[in-house]
Amino acid sequence: MSRGERVSVTGIISSSMRDNYGAYGVDEYYRRVGQTYRNPHYPGIRQCLFALFNRWWQMEQPIITKAERTLALFDMACGIGEATLAFIEWCKTGKRLFEEQSNPVSDTPARPRRKGQIIPLPLGTDFPTPSVMAADPYTSVAYQDRVSLPCSALSFSDIAEGALPAQVFKLWKEPTDIDLNDEHNSGSLTSGTGSPDEESASSQRIDFIVCSFALHLLETPSGLFSLLWELSLKARWLIILAPHKKPELKNGWGWTKWNIVEWQECSITAHEGELLYDRVHCRIYRSVNV
């Protein structure tokens, strides 16, 4: 099983990922379906990231707001942008909730909430300006169609050799630029956020690297080590989303395991403090080099 049961929507290729890889191999399979597949696990991805970002902001806010005014996310092996869309929605909703709390309207009806739904925390004026970069060697076109942002075609091996997407896009210039009344994520960054600013990725430290349903495609320990060590030199946090607990990271690869619940370092092999929503596992690691 790989890439997290991402399923082709063409109806031509089997919905069994094991059968697909056996028949075509990983590279050829994604060349065939790169512009058409959908990940049926998006609800779990969204819940995991909302819960994680809420906890991160709750615990790191005093440090973040004093240190810098930007927040960069790298959606690595981004698929059609599941992690990007969740991040954008979390930022936009948090800004809207803060605005509603700051300027309450008595006759505004309460918004209905589904049972078990995770709501983003209100994000005030001290929230850093968020930005996004993305890469996927197979689905860059599908990502651009879904998210309305360019996507690099960099592979894991390219990134392990030091490459990063050439561009990073700010989600808004100032907090007031965002459309706080747009409660629904339309799947387009430019809908309700204005025209993103563009700048060089090499000029900005990465706060979060998210790898959703893809990192276990690296089957050799040497390949996984090369990628993770290189990333540990450039990013503060690594978020791994998967339908299982693979891959298993090792000490000395540039990262320490982080207990999300206790918000502290834990054993690299520990599973306490991980998140699990709708059969999606979420783990986070902190760089030892940044």
Side-chain angles (χ1 to χ4, degrees):
M1 180 167 57
S2 191
R3 198 88 182 190
E5 306 290 357
R6 286 179 175 169
V7 181
S8 170
V9 298
T10 63
I12 298 174
I13 298 179
S14 170
S15 61
S16 167
M17 301 305 289
R18 192 180 300 276
D19 291 347
N20 288 329
Y21 294 145
Y24 302 100
V26 174
D27 288 344
E28 180 60 24
Y29 172 73
Y30 283 109
R31 288 192 186 98
R32 289 171 177 253
V33 304
Q35 296 186 41
T36 60
Y37 71 74
R38 294 293 184 268
N39 188 337
H41 295 283
Y42 177 69
I45 292 171
R46 178 178 175 273
Q47 287 282 85
C48 282
L49 290 178
F50 276 23
L52 174 57
F53 290 143
N54 278 353
R55 185 60 172 159
W56 164 79
W57 183 242
Q58 181 184 42
M59 301 304 294
E60 299 285 317
Q61 178 181 4
I63 302 172
I64 296 298
T65 55
K66 292 179 180 178
E68 62 271 322
R69 294 295 301 169
T70 60
L71 179 68
L73 180 140
F74 177 22
D75 195 350
M76 182 177 68
C78 58
I80 60 170
E82 296 91 348
T84 296
L85 291 173
F87 179 62
I88 292 171
E89 184 183 1
W90 182 80
C91 292
K92 291 174 63 175
T93 304
K95 282 295 185 182
R96 175 177 55 77
L97 292 175
F98 175 78
E99 182 70 12
E100 290 177 352
Q101 290 182 2
S102 301
N103 302 285
V105 179
S106 58
D107 58 352
T108 300
R111 300 175 188 274
R113 295 181 180 179
R114 296 188 301 272
K115 183 178 180 180
Q117 182 182 14
I118 298 174
I119 305 300
L121 294 176
L123 303 174
T125 57
D126 58 348
F127 185 69
T129 300
S131 61
V132 174
M133 65 182 85
D136 196 300
Y138 307 108
T139 64
S140 57
V141 173
Y143 178 96
Q144 293 174 64
D145 290 343
R146 180 75 182 280
V147 186
S148 298
L149 280 179
C151 176
S152 168
L154 293 174
S155 65
F156 283 146
S157 59
D158 295 328
I159 297 168
E161 292 174 1
L164 283 176
Q167 299 162 333
V168 55
F169 290 82
K170 292 181 180 179
L171 302 192
W172 58 76
K173 292 182 179 180
E174 300 293 340
T176 54
D177 288 340
I178 195 166
D179 182 357
L180 299 171
N181 296 316
D182 181 9
E183 65 180 24
H184 300 295
N185 187 350
S186 65
S188 172
L189 174 63
T190 56
S191 175
T193 59
S195 298
D197 285 344
E198 177 182 330
E199 62 183 44
S200 170
S202 61
S203 66
Q204 184 173 351
R205 189 205 66 249
I206 301 169
D207 294 282
F208 292 108
I209 296 175
V210 182
C211 193
S212 177
F213 285 62
L215 195 58
H216 54 287
L217 289 172
L218 278 173
E219 298 178 347
T220 65
S222 61
L224 190 58
F225 165 77
S226 297
L227 174 66
L228 294 179
W229 182 262
E230 179 66 24
L231 293 176
S232 76
L233 302 174
K234 299 175 178 177
R236 180 174 294 171
W237 298 99
L238 171 66
I239 303 169
I240 300 176
L241 298 161
H244 43 58
K245 297 180 180 180
K246 297 180 180 179
E248 296 182 356
L249 276 62
K250 299 184 183 298
N251 289 319
W253 285 11
W255 300 91
T256 59
K257 183 76 178 291
W258 205 255
N259 184 311
I260 299 171
V261 176
E262 300 295 334
W263 205 252
Q264 62 184 15
E265 182 179 343
C266 61
S267 169
I268 198 76
T269 60
H271 294 296
E272 294 81 9
E274 296 180 359
L275 300 179
L276 176 63
Y277 290 98
D278 294 335
R279 294 183 292 180
V280 175
H281 294 262
C282 177
R283 293 171 286 154
I284 186 170
Y285 298 83
R286 188 161 190 167
S287 173
V288 300
N289 294 317
V290 173

